[in-house]
Amino acid sequence: MEPGDPALCLHRTRQGKVEAKQVLASAPTDRNLCRFRALGCQTTHSNQEVLQTCSLVIFATKPQLLPVVLGEVAPVVSTEHILVSVAAGISLRTLEELLPPNTRVLRVSPNLPCVVQEGAMVMTRGRHVGNHEAELLQNLLEACGLCIEVPEAYVDIHTGLSGSGVAFVCTFSEALAEGAIKMGMPSALAHRIAAQTLLGTAKMLQQEGQHPAQLRTDVLTPAGTTIYGLHVLEQGGLRAATMSAVEAATCRAKELSRK
């Protein structure tokens, strides 16, 4: 159904949300279509063919290319279609202006862990999208991880928190491991344990529903190792730097959205 992002599509087909034969993927060249064909999906080089064949269409083009693609398919768009954009920085208002009146459009903001089905995605709907269409899309996207419907104003914040946040977390994981390496642990072992520590902590936060401050307190003991380490992190400004990083990435996302 999608002329777009291979990761999103592949995980939906693998999880049984959509049968491979129901997917029609479009791209200008065969380079991006081989993975779809390997799964048994249909492929084409015609974007209009996708619209003529499918009712749910995901556009996963680069932002600068999306207006051209929408202009190409607009003549065959009808009120029967549900159109989803994964392109960053293209607002619902712009999408609706580029398409025929009353077109049902939604935006989705994914992040890199979608490729391992642990993504953190947000979606937002246009003026003509009802609950049924929104729930349908959300159900499909949950094959790739967490998917939450939010006001459009939160999309750029999500980019700073979760899109760029993957890099922030990787930086902390790397630093965590390097601290152990400095103290004598082999590199491969240190990085493996650091990654597992992040994974286990994240699962506890999700499954137990605790605030991070509570879980942190559970690790502390008076005059123990953790409070000494936390004191150094506070002296280094970790908390403030992380907040500023999310703010900077969000502001940059907003700047790009205005271009």
Side-chain angles (χ1 to χ4, degrees), residues 4 24 46-47 128-129 180-181 236-237 239:
L24 175 59
S46 170
N47 291 327
H128 309 294
V129 176
I181 295 167
R239 184 188 303 269

PDB file of all heavy atoms in Angstrom, residues 4 24 46-47 128-129 180-181 236-237 239:
ATOM      1  N   GLY A   4       6.749   3.981   0.058  1.00  0.00           N
ATOM      2  CA  GLY A   4       7.548   4.679   1.053  1.00  0.00           C
ATOM      3  C   GLY A   4       8.498   3.855   1.861  1.00  0.00           C
ATOM      4  O   GLY A   4       9.215   3.022   1.351  1.00  0.00           O
ATOM      5  N   LEU A  24       1.651  -2.522  -1.973  1.00  0.00           N
ATOM      6  CA  LEU A  24       2.178  -2.062  -3.259  1.00  0.00           C
ATOM      7  C   LEU A  24       3.121  -0.901  -2.971  1.00  0.00           C
ATOM      8  O   LEU A  24       2.696   0.153  -2.486  1.00  0.00           O
ATOM      9  CB  LEU A  24       1.044  -1.614  -4.185  1.00  0.00           C
ATOM     10  CG  LEU A  24       1.466  -0.988  -5.523  1.00  0.00           C
ATOM     11  CD1 LEU A  24       2.313  -1.958  -6.333  1.00  0.00           C
ATOM     12  CD2 LEU A  24       0.239  -0.542  -6.308  1.00  0.00           C
ATOM     13  N   SER A  46       5.351   3.654 -10.524  1.00  0.00           N
ATOM     14  CA  SER A  46       4.317   4.665 -10.745  1.00  0.00           C
ATOM     15  C   SER A  46       3.610   5.007  -9.442  1.00  0.00           C
ATOM     16  O   SER A  46       2.901   4.165  -8.871  1.00  0.00           O
ATOM     17  CB  SER A  46       3.293   4.158 -11.771  1.00  0.00           C
ATOM     18  OG  SER A  46       2.168   5.018 -11.823  1.00  0.00           O
ATOM     19  N   ASN A  47       3.779   6.238  -8.975  1.00  0.00           N
ATOM     20  CA  ASN A  47       3.080   6.665  -7.764  1.00  0.00           C
ATOM     21  C   ASN A  47       1.568   6.720  -7.985  1.00  0.00           C
ATOM     22  O   ASN A  47       0.789   6.414  -7.077  1.00  0.00           O
ATOM     23  CB  ASN A  47       3.595   8.037  -7.329  1.00  0.00           C
ATOM     24  CG  ASN A  47       5.021   7.979  -6.813  1.00  0.00           C
ATOM     25  OD1 ASN A  47       5.439   6.983  -6.220  1.00  0.00           O
ATOM     26  ND2 ASN A  47       5.782   9.030  -7.045  1.00  0.00           N
ATOM     27  N   HIS A 128     -10.039  16.421   8.294  1.00  0.00           N
ATOM     28  CA  HIS A 128     -11.064  15.571   7.702  1.00  0.00           C
ATOM     29  C   HIS A 128     -10.920  14.096   8.093  1.00  0.00           C
ATOM     30  O   HIS A 128     -11.587  13.235   7.516  1.00  0.00           O
ATOM     31  CB  HIS A 128     -11.036  15.715   6.176  1.00  0.00           C
ATOM     32  CG  HIS A 128     -11.084  17.140   5.715  1.00  0.00           C
ATOM     33  ND1 HIS A 128     -12.190  17.951   5.921  1.00  0.00           N
ATOM     34  CD2 HIS A 128     -10.149  17.910   5.097  1.00  0.00           C
ATOM     35  CE1 HIS A 128     -11.935  19.151   5.422  1.00  0.00           C
ATOM     36  NE2 HIS A 128     -10.714  19.155   4.929  1.00  0.00           N
ATOM     37  N   VAL A 129     -10.061  13.822   9.066  1.00  0.00           N
ATOM     38  CA  VAL A 129      -9.809  12.445   9.491  1.00  0.00           C
ATOM     39  C   VAL A 129     -10.657  12.113  10.719  1.00  0.00           C
ATOM     40  O   VAL A 129     -10.628  12.838  11.717  1.00  0.00           O
ATOM     41  CB  VAL A 129      -8.313  12.231   9.818  1.00  0.00           C
ATOM     42  CG1 VAL A 129      -8.077  10.823  10.360  1.00  0.00           C
ATOM     43  CG2 VAL A 129      -7.465  12.480   8.582  1.00  0.00           C
ATOM     44  N   ALA A 180      33.796   2.529  32.344  1.00  0.00           N
ATOM     45  CA  ALA A 180      34.209   1.187  32.773  1.00  0.00           C
ATOM     46  C   ALA A 180      35.518   0.781  32.108  1.00  0.00           C
ATOM     47  O   ALA A 180      36.376   0.128  32.724  1.00  0.00           O
ATOM     48  CB  ALA A 180      33.106   0.181  32.440  1.00  0.00           C
ATOM     49  N   ILE A 181      35.677   1.175  30.846  1.00  0.00           N
ATOM     50  CA  ILE A 181      36.929   0.867  30.136  1.00  0.00           C
ATOM     51  C   ILE A 181      38.113   1.549  30.837  1.00  0.00           C
ATOM     52  O   ILE A 181      39.186   0.963  30.999  1.00  0.00           O
ATOM     53  CB  ILE A 181      36.828   1.316  28.664  1.00  0.00           C
ATOM     54  CG1 ILE A 181      35.764   0.489  27.937  1.00  0.00           C
ATOM     55  CG2 ILE A 181      38.176   1.177  27.957  1.00  0.00           C
ATOM     56  CD1 ILE A 181      35.365   1.057  26.586  1.00  0.00           C
ATOM     57  N   GLY A 236      28.860  17.933  36.763  1.00  0.00           N
ATOM     58  CA  GLY A 236      29.156  18.059  35.346  1.00  0.00           C
ATOM     59  C   GLY A 236      28.015  18.647  34.523  1.00  0.00           C
ATOM     60  O   GLY A 236      28.176  18.885  33.326  1.00  0.00           O
ATOM     61  N   GLY A 237      26.876  18.859  35.163  1.00  0.00           N
ATOM     62  CA  GLY A 237      25.760  19.485  34.470  1.00  0.00           C
ATOM     63  C   GLY A 237      25.021  18.560  33.518  1.00  0.00           C
ATOM     64  O   GLY A 237      24.437  19.031  32.523  1.00  0.00           O
ATOM     65  N   ARG A 239      22.164  16.908  33.752  1.00  0.00           N
ATOM     66  CA  ARG A 239      20.726  17.163  33.662  1.00  0.00           C
ATOM     67  C   ARG A 239      20.450  18.407  32.809  1.00  0.00           C
ATOM     68  O   ARG A 239      19.631  18.375  31.878  1.00  0.00           O
ATOM     69  CB  ARG A 239      20.138  17.330  35.065  1.00  0.00           C
ATOM     70  CG  ARG A 239      18.618  17.495  35.105  1.00  0.00           C
ATOM     71  CD  ARG A 239      18.184  17.854  36.526  1.00  0.00           C
ATOM     72  NE  ARG A 239      18.624  16.842  37.476  1.00  0.00           N
ATOM     73  CZ  ARG A 239      17.890  15.791  37.820  1.00  0.00           C
ATOM     74  NH1 ARG A 239      16.688  15.634  37.305  1.00  0.00           N
ATOM     75  NH2 ARG A 239      18.333  14.922  38.699  1.00  0.00           N
TER      76      ARG A 239
END
